[in-house]
Amino acid sequence: MTTIPSITLNNGARIPQLGFGVWQVEDDAAEAAVRTAIEAGYRSIDTAAIYENEAGTGRGIAGAGVPREELYITTKLWNSGKRDWSGAQGQDAVLREFDSSLAKLGLEYVDLYLIHWPRPMHGSFENIWQAFEKLAADGRARSVGVSNFGPAQLDALAERSGVVPVLNQIELHPHFPQHELRAYHAEHGIATEAWSPLGQGKALLTEPALVQIAEKHGRTVAQVVLRWHLQSGVIAIPKSVTPSRIRENLDVAGFELDEADMAAVAATATGERLGPDPQGFDWN
Ligand code: NDP
């Protein structure tokens, strides 16, 4: 079994640097995929209320039979733009959503709870964060963090709260390396977690420069890309429903990208996102 490095977060908790994501995986398929992943050696799983597979993820976790304390489970609040998240009522709604996620997962606590999108146009993420502080204080969310936040939103939280998000989960892959946001995180003690770390398995995985590096090391392009994340100090959560790929993506120890490789990967940056720009994102 591969040894996965871990990162110490700003509250002292540790997170595996490589985890397993389940976006766009149907509930039943999530059960099988999560179980396969844990049996392969993953110890960190990333789901979200909006993925509608927390129940399947929970069954996969239970089925794998690994002691709970060895696992690192993340889920996310769907702070839908259709709802009012302001005031005491908004905070109660957060706590109810959290209870619902825990019940679906069949867990007594999660290791990490994230605000899924900042939706800055609603001005409610600061109030939501106060409810997150309560969840962190009572220990049912061992750590709390955010996703898709930019410096303006992170600054706003820092002004009002002593609880700094342990990490910010953002779109990040060699085509979209997020240098500025990573520098901000480093300065403020916030870890960086990459979503779509493999560029959603699209054009990134056929980049000629990456194919060349993969051939040089006798590895796959996906493994080279994940190695780049690890060596960049980023936490990555690749998704796959294919058992051979689930194992392949975990098998990234035992080789190292040298300086020239790292530079060649960096040179593939296009600056193009695959997902929406979080500053304007407001679906349902
Ligand atoms: P990834 O970058 O992880 O790519 C997943 C795609 O790549 C799938 O189509 C998969 O196919 C394919 N793939 C996986 N491994 C390989 C491989 N070794 N070789 C070739 N193809 C491969 O994309 P995601 O968008 O799923 O991101 C990962 C996770 O990040 C999500 O599952 C979710 O947990 C999180 N996320 C969070 C967001 C947020 O807003 N916070 C937004 C988006 C994602 P197949 O499954 O068929 O094997």
Side-chain angles (χ1 to χ4, degrees):
M1 190 182 291
T2 312
T3 311
I4 306 165
S6 60
I7 282 191
T8 302
L9 302 169
N10 64 25
N11 63 354
R14 293 179 73 79
I15 182 171
Q17 218 184 332
L18 197 57
F20 183 70
V22 293
W23 180 41
Q24 294 179 312
V25 182
E26 298 284 334
D27 195 64
D28 279 346
E31 176 178 353
V34 166
R35 187 173 175 157
T36 301
I38 295 173
E39 286 172 354
Y42 291 83
R43 290 296 175 264
S44 170
I45 308 291
D46 181 88
T47 184
I50 193 66
Y51 301 169
E52 296 184 342
N53 60 18
E54 289 173 307
T57 296
R59 291 193 303 276
I61 291 167
V66 167
R68 173 67 184 92
E69 62 275 14
E70 290 179 21
L71 298 173
Y72 193 97
I73 311 299
T74 300
T75 194
K76 314 182 192 84
L77 171 76
W78 188 246
N79 50 318
S80 162
K82 280 189 187 154
R83 290 175 65 174
D84 179 8
W85 299 97
S86 63
Q89 237 179 324
Q91 291 189 27
D92 283 348
V94 173
L95 302 181
R96 280 198 305 276
E97 288 297 315
F98 178 79
D99 286 342
S100 160
S101 286
L102 268 194
K104 286 179 186 156
L105 284 161
L107 299 176
E108 285 172 9
Y109 68 93
V110 292
D111 296 276
L112 179 60
Y113 197 42
L114 303 178
I115 302 180
H116 207 141
W117 292 86
R119 292 192 161 95
M121 61 294 290
H122 293 287
S124 56
F125 64 83
E126 288 127 311
N127 192 53
I128 290 172
W129 190 248
Q130 282 185 39
F132 271 53
E133 289 176 2
K134 289 179 197 160
L135 290 168
D138 82 11
R140 291 196 306 152
R142 295 279 159 96
S143 296
V144 287
V146 295
S147 181
N148 300 301
F149 275 44
Q153 291 96 46
L154 294 168
D155 281 344
L157 289 188
E159 270 169 34
R160 286 154 193 254
S161 172
V163 178
V164 179
V166 294
L167 61 77
N168 188 13
Q169 184 183 113
I170 55 173
E171 178 177 350
L172 200 168
H173 40 77
H175 280 171
F176 193 67
Q178 296 265 27
H179 293 302
E180 283 170 29
L181 197 44
R182 272 155 70 190
Y184 178 101
H185 291 163
E187 198 183 319
H188 293 84
I190 299 168
T192 302
E193 184 166 55
W195 62 252
S196 297
L198 299 175
Q200 298 178 358
K202 295 178 183 166
L204 181 69
L205 298 189
T206 54
E207 276 281 354
L210 303 188
V211 171
Q212 222 179 340
I213 297 170
E215 280 168 2
K216 172 176 142 187
H217 291 281
R219 296 288 183 149
T220 66
V221 173
Q223 289 173 324
V224 166
V225 170
L226 292 170
R227 192 71 224 166
W228 174 82
H229 283 287
L230 298 190
Q231 289 183 218
S232 303
V234 167
I235 302 153
I237 46 170
K239 167 265 177 186
S240 177
V241 291
T242 314
S244 60
R245 289 174 172 173
I246 291 174
R247 287 189 284 274
E248 172 189 328
N249 294 344
L250 191 69
D251 183 19
V252 292
F255 79 109
E256 191 132 348
L257 301 180
D258 60 28
E259 242 174 79
D261 296 333
M262 290 296 280
V265 177
T268 68
T270 62
E272 279 171 32
R273 295 178 186 273
L274 293 166
D277 184 339
Q279 295 302 311
F281 175 84
D282 189 28
W283 297 335
N284 63 53

